[in-house]
Amino acid sequence: MTELRRQLEWIAALAKEDELRCIGTYERFVLKYGYEFSGAIELPSHVERGEMKLCFGNAALMALAFPEEFIYTEGYAYQEGIPITLAHGWLTNRQGQVVDPTWGVDKHVDYFGVLVKPEYVRPRAGLSMIDDWQNGWPLVLSESPDEHLVELEKWISGSGPGA
């Protein structure tokens, strides 16, 4: 078990079933629908490094610009030596690797997140898909959030969006 998973499970255990904005709600969502990744690869030459603290927008813009190559992924990241789990957005390529247009390459960062369909990302680009308080948390409160998400195996095999 990675340290990131351990932290997410611990925080998720604090969540109350009937409260959306209580601590642990988003972590429980990511644990249920998400995937673990380890390390980020070098940015491809056509992917621009974005501005720090704008990870959701940086990743969304690149995912929408190159939908055959990347899918927007959002969840949590944990860097060894930094005792905090951060909400973060990044790209997942067709090989299932993290491409992080905000932080760049780092083999010592663990990621755990959900892959979000482009048609869901497009009208919300720049916002958090998970903590989308501006729109009433539609993804987390959805009766069937998997309609807006992509399975990692389907994305890698080419049967996901953009295939």
Side-chain angles (χ1 to χ4, degrees):
M1 174 186 306
T2 65
E3 177 62 19
L4 176 56
R5 179 185 277 277
R6 189 189 70 70
Q7 283 190 26
L8 292 175
E9 288 177 350
W10 179 76
I11 296 168
L14 300 174
K16 296 178 182 171
E17 290 293 328
D18 59 344
E19 290 185 38
L20 175 64
R21 294 276 306 176
C22 72
I23 194 165
T25 304
Y26 309 132
E27 290 83 356
R28 187 171 37 221
F29 179 84
V30 169
L31 285 165
K32 182 173 181 176
Y33 296 103
Y35 300 91
E36 286 184 88
F37 304 90
S38 186
I41 65 168
E42 289 284 338
L43 294 178
S45 60
H46 62 286
V47 174
E48 296 178 24
R49 180 117 182 232
E51 191 174 329
M52 294 300 280
K53 299 185 181 182
L54 297 178
C55 62
F56 304 124
N58 295 336
L61 291 174
M62 289 291 105
L64 294 172
F66 303 102
E68 300 294 323
E69 201 173 342
F70 305 114
I71 191 159
Y72 178 85
T73 310
E74 182 174 320
Y76 295 91
Y78 173 84
Q79 186 171 18
E80 193 175 307
I82 299 175
I84 188 165
T85 301
L86 300 170
H88 193 54
W90 64 92
L91 304 168
T92 300
N93 68 15
R94 290 285 184 175
Q95 292 73 46
Q97 300 166 308
V98 171
V99 175
D100 193 329
T102 305
W103 292 351
V105 63
D106 193 331
K107 298 188 184 330
H108 302 289
V109 176
D110 289 325
Y111 298 82
F112 203 123
V114 296
L115 284 69
V116 186
K117 291 182 178 179
E119 58 269 17
Y120 189 87
V121 173
R122 190 169 289 106
R124 297 168 179 83
L127 300 175
S128 168
M129 303 295 134
I130 297 170
D131 187 14
D132 184 6
W133 58 270
Q134 297 93 329
N135 295 301
W137 305 279
L139 185 59
V140 174
L141 292 179
S142 174
E143 294 272 328
S144 51
D146 50 343
E147 290 178 8
H148 308 296
L149 304 176
V150 176
E151 293 176 33
L152 181 60
E153 297 78 21
K154 287 184 178 178
W155 170 248
I156 292 170
S157 71
S159 59

